[in-house]
Amino acid sequence: MKAVQFDLNLPKYAFSKAAGKINPSFYVNSPFTCLQLREVEAPSLPKEDWVEVKVKYGGICGSDLNLISLKDSPSTSPFISFPFTIGHEMTGTVSKVGRDVKDVAIGERVVIDPILACEARGIEPMCHECQQGNYNLCHHMKDGIISPGLLTGTCKDTGGSWGEYLVAHQSQIIKLPDNVDDKNGVLVEPFSCALHTVLQNPPKPNDSVLVIGAGVIGICLVAALKALDFQCHVKVLVKYPFQEELARKYGADEIFYLRGDYVKDIADSFGAEVLKPVIGEPIVHGGADIIYECVGSKKSLNDAIRFTRRGGKIVLLGLASFVDNLDMTMIWLNELEIKGCFSYGTDVVHGERKRTLQIAVDVMEAGKVDLSPLVTHYFPLEHYKEALAAAPIRKKKIQ
């Protein structure tokens, strides 16, 4: 089968990292790139309680772009095995089932929960976090019957959605109802990141909320707040007009653009005061009750810190790794609470605990959200370079 794989080769890595800073196309187009379209064997079932899935759509996640542009921290490398087929956002159909698989049939439309925790790895007894349903915090993501990998798309044994087939443990399979189309299906995974974030860090009634960033995760965050009927006032900081259009579509109450004197505009909306230090950037006295930071850059993190009220909370979804010269003063001065969020696990809605991806599908099935307008382009696997070139384009046509 064909698959787009990432294979760590230190000389290639060093060349691509240096050349890519001069011309980003070298991350993909250079003969020395770690990224390759290959003919490989389809992944085999590790055990008889696994299934094979034929991929229909594989999404491009911001984490995939970080990987390809070599921005990932080496801290995650012990939990990755090479070469791996990229991709964890997907929809497809079951094409093979092991003898011990229950309640999953060939031909069913599915998405997968890509986290590779104790159950998938055949580890018994499961670690404490997996027993609690926090399998995104599993202690054994480098152990068990498969190679290291935080999730499908970082493990060399499972394949990924940038290949024609992948394999998944039966516990990872989430079935798609007939009224949830494939475009929504491929967005179940990023929507689940947003759902998990707001369910673990819910705003209180009448809280003022600021969402920093309006990429896919930021828009999904706004959609999650509204789909779960949180009674809060949602402001969104955007860069591009199409992001404003989407943010408003999914329920944002106020929009601010990252340009001009946006610091004063946002501060005024909170009834806060802008103060000018002796030197350096202005600070804000007052601000949001809770901020969801969905970018992960130095600028966005700095904005999150200064736009949060005293005693407020910052929730980090953006993929930050190394952040130089970030002023931490307002964190301790304002006694801010900062919480990181990684992917999804199990969460409670209406008194029932479920896998977050199942909650996402249930919300879509109930007609509470339609994320299909976020899908703007389609490419065959062989045209992955064109897909990667299109991914950062900021003038999207909203369908």
Side-chain angles (χ1 to χ4, degrees):
M1 72 171 195
K2 293 183 175 66
V4 178
Q5 294 195 323
F6 188 92
D7 193 1
L8 183 62
N9 175 294
L10 289 179
K12 288 184 177 181
Y13 178 92
F15 175 86
S16 295
K17 195 166 182 69
K21 291 179 179 178
I22 301 169
N23 183 345
S25 69
F26 280 112
Y27 292 128
V28 176
N29 295 312
S30 164
F32 303 104
T33 178
C34 296
L35 194 69
Q36 300 285 336
L37 176 65
R38 293 171 166 168
E39 282 285 345
V40 298
E41 293 291 326
S44 58
L45 302 182
K47 286 183 68 177
E48 292 298 328
D49 55 354
W50 283 61
V51 306
E52 178 190 80
V53 178
K54 179 176 175 58
V55 177
K56 181 171 183 180
Y57 293 140
I60 300 176
C61 178
S63 63
D64 299 326
L65 296 176
N66 260 25
L67 166 75
I68 292 164
S69 58
L70 307 181
K71 294 178 181 176
D72 281 351
S73 166
S75 302
T76 61
S77 59
F79 304 100
I80 297 172
S81 51
F82 303 94
F84 61 83
T85 300
I86 300 172
H88 55 274
E89 301 176 358
M90 61 81 64
T91 184
T93 55
V94 176
S95 49
K96 183 186 298 183
V97 298
R99 288 191 302 270
D100 298 333
V101 171
K102 300 176 181 178
D103 301 322
V104 179
I106 291 175
E108 289 186 299
R109 293 170 58 246
V110 299
V111 297
I112 64 162
D113 183 333
I115 300 293
L116 297 171
C118 284
E119 189 169 10
R121 293 180 171 279
I123 293 173
E124 295 181 347
M126 293 191 294
C127 72
H128 173 74
E129 294 294 350
C130 284
Q131 290 180 38
Q132 300 300 310
N134 303 321
Y135 56 86
N136 57 322
L137 303 178
C138 175
H139 290 222
H140 296 298
M141 288 180 174
K142 58 181 180 58
D143 307 317
I145 63 171
I146 55 174
S147 300
L150 291 169
L151 67 169
T152 304
T154 64
C155 173
K156 68 180 183 180
D157 298 333
T158 62
S161 65
W162 293 18
E164 297 178 71
Y165 294 89
L166 57 80
V167 294
H169 187 262
Q170 62 180 346
S171 65
Q172 296 176 266
I173 297 297
I174 309 289
K175 299 178 185 180
L176 286 179
D178 290 341
N179 69 334
V180 177
D181 63 18
D182 289 326
K183 288 196 290 185
N184 274 284
V186 80
L187 289 159
V188 164
E189 192 276 343
F191 186 49
S192 297
C193 293
L195 285 172
H196 179 67
T197 298
V198 300
L199 289 168
Q200 292 289 312
N201 305 277
K204 301 182 184 69
N206 301 315
D207 267 358
S208 287
V209 169
L210 176 62
V211 179
I212 295 179
V216 171
I217 292 296
I219 296 300
C220 283
L221 197 291
V222 175
L225 287 168
K226 296 301 180 177
L228 295 175
D229 299 318
F230 284 105
Q231 301 303 307
C232 56
H233 191 83
V234 179
K235 309 171 195 280
V236 185
L237 181 58
V238 308
K239 290 183 72 175
Y240 307 105
F242 84 93
Q243 294 178 333
E244 175 184 4
E245 182 182 343
L246 286 168
R248 291 194 185 280
K249 174 181 175 66
Y250 290 106
D253 298 298
E254 289 186 74
I255 303 293
F256 299 91
Y257 275 85
L258 189 65
R259 64 191 183 204
D261 197 0
Y262 74 97
V263 174
K264 184 178 186 306
D265 293 341
I266 294 176
D268 286 348
S269 78
F270 287 118
E273 186 180 5
V274 178
L275 303 176
K276 180 65 177 173
V278 175
I279 59 172
E281 296 184 0
I283 64 169
V284 177
H285 188 55
D289 297 298
I290 184 166
I291 287 183
Y292 299 101
E293 195 285 308
C294 304
V295 180
S297 69
K298 177 184 173 181
K299 184 175 185 60
S300 62
L301 290 166
N302 183 61
D303 281 343
I305 292 169
R306 65 176 164 183
F307 288 133
T308 309
R309 67 162 173 81
R310 306 196 83 177
K313 185 173 187 178
I314 300 170
V315 186
L316 303 178
L317 289 78
L319 297 174
S321 51
F322 301 105
V323 182
D324 294 330
N325 301 316
L326 184 67
D327 188 346
M328 312 277 276
T329 303
M330 304 311 291
I331 296 175
W332 55 260
L333 184 63
N334 287 337
E335 292 198 354
L336 302 182
E337 179 183 356
I338 298 182
K339 177 72 180 294
C341 271
F342 170 58
S343 60
Y344 26 74
T346 61
D347 289 292
V348 177
V349 172
H350 305 307
E352 186 176 2
R353 180 172 290 276
K354 297 181 180 180
R355 283 187 176 246
T356 318
L357 274 83
Q358 185 62 62
I359 296 171
V361 171
D362 292 347
V363 169
M364 291 175 175
E365 184 181 21
K368 299 283 284 185
V369 67
D370 174 15
L371 296 175
S372 60
L374 300 184
V375 179
T376 59
H377 296 73
Y378 301 85
F379 297 88
L381 187 63
E382 295 85 350
H383 295 178
Y384 73 97
K385 292 182 181 180
E386 290 93 326
L388 291 171
I393 292 174
R394 303 309 182 189
K395 295 181 180 179
K396 305 291 189 184
K397 180 180 179 182
I398 307 305
Q399 299 177 341

